[in-house]
Amino acid sequence: MPPRSNSDVRFTSSTVKIHPLSGRNPPPPPPPPFLPHNLLAQLARTKFCSISLLPSQASMPPPRRNSDVRITSSTVKIPPLSDHNLPPPPPPFLAHNLLSQLARAKSSFDNILDSLISRSLGSIRRHSGARSLRSPLLCSASLSLTGSQPRRQSILCSASLALSQPADSGPPEASVVTQQKSGGHSVSRGDEERVLISEVLVKNKDGEELERKDLEAEAMAALKACRPNSALTVQEVQEDVHRIIDSGYFSSCMPVAVDTRDGIRLVFQVEPNQEFQGVVCEGASVLPTKFLEDAFRYEYGKVVNVRRLDDAITAVNGWYMERGLFGLVSGVEILSGGIIRVQVAEAEVNDISIRFLDRRTGEPTKGKTKPETILRQLTTKKGQVYSMIQGKRDVDTVLTMGIMEDVSIIPQPAGDTGKVDLIMNVVERPSGGFSAGGGISSGITSGPLSGLIGSFAYSHRNVFGRNQKLNISLERGQIDSIYRVNYTDPWIEGDDKRTSRTIMVQNSRTPGNLVHGNQPGDSSLTIGRVTAGIEFSRPLRPKWSGTTGVIFQHAGVRDEKANPIIKDRYSSPLTASGKPHDDTLLAKLETVYTGSGDHGSSMQGLPLWPEWLFFNRVTARARKGVEIGPALFLLSVSGGHVVGKFSPHEAFAIGGTNSVRGYEEGAVGSGRSYVVGSGELSFPLLGPVEGVIFSDYGTDLGSGPTVPGDPAGARLKPGSGYGYGFGVRVDSPLGPLRLEYAFNDRRAKRFHFGVGHRN
């Protein structure tokens, strides 16, 4: 007979607290005599004993939360009862045997609970001394038998049992799972019970098969402890849950234990992440869009993997870190449709202030420099995302002003705005003072103090607190003398190109034997120049700067008695105009590569008056260094050419310490054109001392006779020559001190001493 539908069957569940059984607990009531035999047998097999059933959940006080309890219900369908197939009442002996089985089950369950409680208390005492069990075990159970027409409809039974320790009383010290159908048993290791698992499955959150088998394989591959026919603890299951989440493909994972005919089945119900369809970035003002797209490019169309997503976020944070920017990813959210929203926090500059510190105490003080003079040197501006690399460049820029001893930038949070305030601490140097020094002149090659000069100067580095510089200097030697006044504004106010301005006035007297050689009887020629001019310089591009200006020069030649002369001993003219003095207005244009010091320049004479000289002078120099192990090989070349009418003493002189070593100053030749090449191999010796091997070559390219009066030919200068030798160099505050011994191609030998790098 087909079973009738159970349309009015309802399930009710109750949660009760089971205290350890004792003699005060009343035994369960005997089952009603009308319960069918097969239902009694089912209940006997489940061995539910001391269970209190409440008719309604509402009448119970709210139970404590059991976050680690999973209630699994199983439904048993019983054939419908009717007047025709109602089994007869059980015989008295059958009822007696059933009651005896229930009594034995009750006793067995009492023993299990007593053993469990004793073991738990013993374990707690072993681990925590006198600490007592704070909360009893909780039991969640339900049993419902309903039917609007008894004996006419099926009777359904739903039952479940879970024992656990409340979460607030610490990790569970014991866990009991009893399995009867599969014949499994608990295995105890240490203080934690193990449960035999017969099957392990991965399904979706609704308990159905996953659509994508590759994700199921990823979840199964992540499992380490949970394997079929293995005895597991709660801790091991939790660890495998974490491993599934850590695989990156799933947003949630819930383990569910189901009692089946073959044993306990462990099902991991997972919720896969969405497929990645796009990215939205918020709060990023300096992060390039292309970089963000490239970081997520390989994830399009794939299930979002949190690990790979973390790699992309790390790449974005690395972009900020490499550039020293105050920025990072502050949040990531997966929106509906597979769109990932990336939130970036960038710290913008809110304010920049200057704080002057005392040189001795380090306490704040009043500075002499105007704050706007310092602030305009900074490339960091308000509203920009702060960059530590840019801040370091700003510190270096302020130090190159020459008026600060120490500079530092301290970023501080600007309240709760998410921005930063920058405080620049500066320690000022003394702004002015006197100085004295000495040096070597390359124009004197004879005498007891050949080439030795002394200098005395007054300088003010911070005129009017605007970093403007005034320098007044005097240099004096046997013949040399230079009086110079320079006034420099390193950044003209109102100019946004960092243009500097220099006003210069100079009166100099220098030896003339570089071109015209020594006169017979040790008489000497001196060239006097009075110059005045103005120059403007500015950066052109990174590591390149340019200078332009106008210079007026009034130059003439005098003998050792300071009398003006127009011809030398060989009747070679000393001026281009034939007068005691030549007047020239020069337009100057120069470019310098600051990375190596290479430069090129052009000097153009402007004939505003008929007697003023008209010519163009072009020079260039380049150097290249190559490291060979600890040694450095340096190759340098320089050259120049003059077109037009110029003074003979302005010809290019070849030979000497800064030209071809092994020759005296200007002894190789002098001409309208020249080329000098040099190769040096330097290597460390001891501390600041270096050794050097060198070779030089220079030539006037046959242009000596084109100089007015041919002073080189009159003195039988070869016009070209080479030299080679060795030497030592010592680092000093004045620059490298160079002592070199050289041989030339005419088998002459000569010592050379110089201060600073070769020109």
Side-chain angles (χ1 to χ4, degrees):
M1 179 178 180
R4 299 176 62 183
S5 62
N6 299 313
S7 59
D8 56 350
V9 174
R10 65 182 183 277
F11 296 89
T12 60
S13 62
S14 300
T15 301
V16 297
K17 184 179 295 186
I18 297 182
H19 294 271
L21 299 179
S22 63
R24 294 176 295 178
N25 294 102
F34 60 82
L35 282 179
H37 172 73
N38 55 353
L39 177 59
L40 294 178
Q42 176 70 20
L43 291 178
R45 284 197 298 270
T46 57
K47 291 190 176 180
F48 287 128
C49 294
S50 180
I51 302 179
S52 300
L53 301 177
L54 300 180
S56 174
Q57 180 80 13
S59 61
M60 290 294 297
R64 298 183 62 180
R65 183 179 178 86
N66 295 315
S67 58
D68 56 348
V69 173
R70 180 81 179 178
I71 301 177
T72 304
S73 300
S74 59
T75 301
V76 181
K77 189 169 186 180
I78 301 174
L81 301 179
S82 65
D83 296 337
H84 300 286
N85 60 4
L86 181 64
F93 70 91
L94 181 58
H96 175 74
N97 291 339
L98 180 59
L99 292 179
S100 300
Q101 292 178 5
L102 291 178
R104 286 196 299 271
K106 170 184 179 302
S107 176
S108 175
F109 190 67
D110 290 347
N111 293 334
I112 291 175
L113 288 179
D114 291 340
S115 175
L116 177 61
I117 294 171
S118 300
R119 186 177 305 171
S120 299
L121 291 176
S123 174
I124 293 172
R125 292 190 183 98
R126 287 195 301 270
H127 286 81
S128 58
R131 186 177 59 183
S132 61
L133 188 64
R134 297 182 180 178
S135 176
L137 299 175
L138 296 183
C139 172
S140 176
S142 65
L143 178 63
S144 178
L145 300 174
T146 60
S148 58
Q149 297 178 1
R151 300 177 175 266
R152 297 283 183 180
Q153 296 183 4
S154 300
I155 298 177
L156 299 183
C157 172
S158 175
S160 65
L161 177 64
L163 298 176
S164 67
Q165 188 90 9
D168 57 357
S169 60
E173 299 292 342
S175 176
V176 174
V177 176
T178 304
Q179 179 181 342
Q180 292 291 358
K181 289 186 178 180
S182 61
H185 60 278
S186 298
V187 180
S188 175
R189 178 173 296 179
D191 296 326
E192 194 170 9
E193 297 290 342
R194 291 183 174 271
V195 178
L196 183 61
I197 301 298
S198 63
E199 189 177 8
V200 178
L201 299 177
V202 175
K203 297 186 177 182
N204 64 15
K205 63 179 181 178
D206 298 324
E208 300 174 352
E209 295 291 334
L210 286 173
E211 295 181 0
R212 297 187 53 166
K213 296 301 180 182
D214 57 337
L215 295 181
E216 180 179 346
E218 291 287 347
M220 293 298 294
L223 300 177
K224 182 178 179 181
C226 296
R227 292 287 186 267
N229 301 319
S230 59
L232 303 177
T233 64
V234 175
Q235 181 65 27
E236 290 174 336
V237 175
Q238 291 176 347
E239 290 175 354
D240 272 353
V241 169
H242 293 161
R243 292 187 182 99
I244 292 178
I245 296 298
D246 290 342
S247 68
Y249 290 99
F250 307 97
S251 59
S252 66
C253 178
M254 174 68 70
V256 177
V258 180
D259 191 5
T260 67
R261 180 176 55 188
D262 298 327
I264 294 180
R265 175 188 300 157
L266 182 59
V267 180
F268 291 94
Q269 295 182 356
V270 298
E271 182 177 2
N273 294 327
Q274 304 179 59
E275 290 187 359
F276 179 61
Q277 300 297 331
V279 60
V280 176
C281 187
E282 299 177 354
S285 60
V286 297
L287 181 67
T289 303
K290 187 177 184 305
F291 179 86
L292 187 65
E293 292 175 351
D294 291 343
F296 290 88
R297 182 180 304 276
Y298 300 103
E299 302 300 321
Y300 284 100
K302 300 179 181 179
V303 174
V304 175
N305 185 289
V306 177
R307 286 191 172 184
R308 291 199 297 265
L309 179 62
D310 184 65
D311 293 340
I313 299 306
T314 302
V316 173
N317 290 336
W319 185 90
Y320 282 98
M321 185 176 298
E322 289 174 1
R323 289 154 182 79
L325 295 169
F326 273 31
L328 53 80
V329 176
S330 59
V332 179
E333 184 179 0
I334 303 177
L335 305 178
S336 60
I339 304 298
I340 295 180
R341 180 168 62 187
V342 179
Q343 294 178 335
V344 176
E346 296 177 343
E348 296 181 354
V349 177
N350 179 64
D351 188 35
I352 306 175
S353 59
I354 306 298
R355 181 167 59 189
F356 295 92
L357 301 179
D358 187 83
R359 298 176 63 235
R360 297 178 178 83
T361 64
E363 297 295 326
T365 185
K366 184 177 181 181
K368 299 178 181 179
T369 308
K370 296 183 179 298
E372 58 268 22
T373 301
I374 302 175
L375 291 174
R376 70 176 181 172
Q377 300 285 338
L378 308 182
T379 58
T380 301
K381 305 298 181 182
K382 296 180 182 179
Q384 294 181 351
V385 178
Y386 179 60
S387 168
M388 292 184 293
I389 296 177
Q390 188 177 7
K392 183 180 183 301
R393 287 197 299 262
D394 288 338
V395 168
D396 294 338
T397 300
V398 174
L399 286 174
T400 57
M401 295 170 64
I403 58 177
M404 302 297 173
E405 281 189 358
D406 186 59
V407 180
S408 62
I409 293 180
I410 302 177
Q412 294 183 343
D416 298 330
T417 62
K419 300 182 178 182
V420 295
D421 290 333
L422 302 182
I423 300 177
M424 175 171 279
N425 293 327
V426 296
V427 179
E428 292 181 302
R429 297 174 59 185
S431 56
F434 294 91
S435 62
I440 300 293
S441 172
S442 61
I444 300 177
T445 59
S446 62
L449 298 175
S450 61
L452 182 63
I453 60 174
S455 64
F456 182 78
Y458 170 79
S459 62
H460 197 293
R461 305 182 183 90
N462 197 12
V463 180
F464 308 126
R466 297 185 178 275
N467 194 33
Q468 298 175 2
K469 304 179 187 303
L470 174 65
N471 186 73
I472 303 173
S473 64
L474 167 63
E475 297 179 3
R476 182 68 176 171
Q478 284 182 288
I479 298 176
D480 300 65
S481 65
I482 301 177
Y483 301 90
R484 182 186 296 117
V485 178
N486 285 353
Y487 184 80
T488 302
D489 184 355
W491 192 342
I492 300 175
E493 187 174 359
D495 178 78
D496 60 348
K497 302 296 184 180
R498 302 177 71 92
T499 303
S500 66
R501 176 182 56 221
T502 300
I503 300 174
M504 175 266 297
V505 177
Q506 178 177 295
N507 185 356
S508 65
R509 188 178 67 170
T510 58
N513 60 344
L514 292 177
V515 175
H516 294 277
N518 292 330
Q519 298 297 308
D522 293 331
S523 61
S524 299
L525 298 178
T526 60
I527 302 172
R529 297 181 177 90
V530 177
T531 59
I534 183 170
E535 295 181 355
F536 298 90
S537 299
R538 70 166 48 171
L540 299 178
R541 56 183 304 176
K543 295 187 177 182
W544 283 92
S545 64
T547 301
T548 185
V550 177
I551 302 172
F552 175 78
Q553 178 176 280
H554 177 79
V557 181
R558 297 177 181 269
D559 60 17
E560 59 184 357
K561 295 181 180 181
N563 297 319
I565 55 176
I566 59 175
K567 290 185 178 182
D568 63 7
R569 171 106 178 160
Y570 299 94
S571 298
S572 299
L574 298 175
T575 61
S577 62
K579 298 180 180 181
H581 298 90
D582 289 331
D583 294 328
T584 308
L585 181 64
L586 300 173
K588 177 181 179 181
L589 180 63
E590 182 180 34
T591 58
V592 178
Y593 180 67
T594 57
S596 62
D598 300 340
H599 77 278
S601 65
S602 174
M603 302 286 286
Q604 175 67 56
L606 304 176
L608 298 184
W609 297 97
E611 62 270 18
W612 287 10
L613 302 183
F614 176 59
F615 66 93
N616 182 266
R617 179 188 179 99
V618 179
T619 60
R621 182 184 65 192
R623 292 182 293 183
K624 177 66 175 179
V626 178
E627 293 184 358
I628 305 175
L632 175 66
F633 178 73
L634 180 64
L635 180 66
S636 63
V637 61
S638 61
H641 182 67
V642 180
V643 177
K645 186 179 180 181
F646 67 102
S647 301
H649 55 77
E650 298 291 349
F652 297 108
I654 307 170
T657 302
N658 292 317
S659 181
V660 180
R661 285 161 286 193
Y663 283 90
E664 292 186 6
E665 303 297 326
V668 173
S670 56
R672 284 179 175 267
S673 306
Y674 88 102
V675 173
V676 173
S678 175
E680 296 182 349
L681 181 65
S682 59
F683 45 89
L685 292 178
L686 181 63
V689 181
E690 288 185 338
V692 62
I693 301 173
F694 60 84
S695 177
D696 306 323
Y697 175 79
T699 177
D700 63 4
L701 300 175
S703 63
T706 64
V707 177
D710 188 13
R715 290 159 178 81
L716 302 177
K717 295 182 180 180
S720 64
Y722 65 87
Y724 56 92
F726 57 90
V728 293
R729 295 176 182 174
V730 181
D731 286 335
S732 72
L734 300 177
L737 302 179
R738 299 184 285 125
L739 178 62
E740 299 159 337
Y741 188 68
F743 307 86
N744 64 23
D745 55 341
R746 294 175 177 256
R747 298 182 180 179
K749 310 168 194 175
R750 185 174 181 81
F751 277 103
H752 294 273
F753 178 76
V755 179
H757 296 282
R758 282 167 50 88
N759 295 331

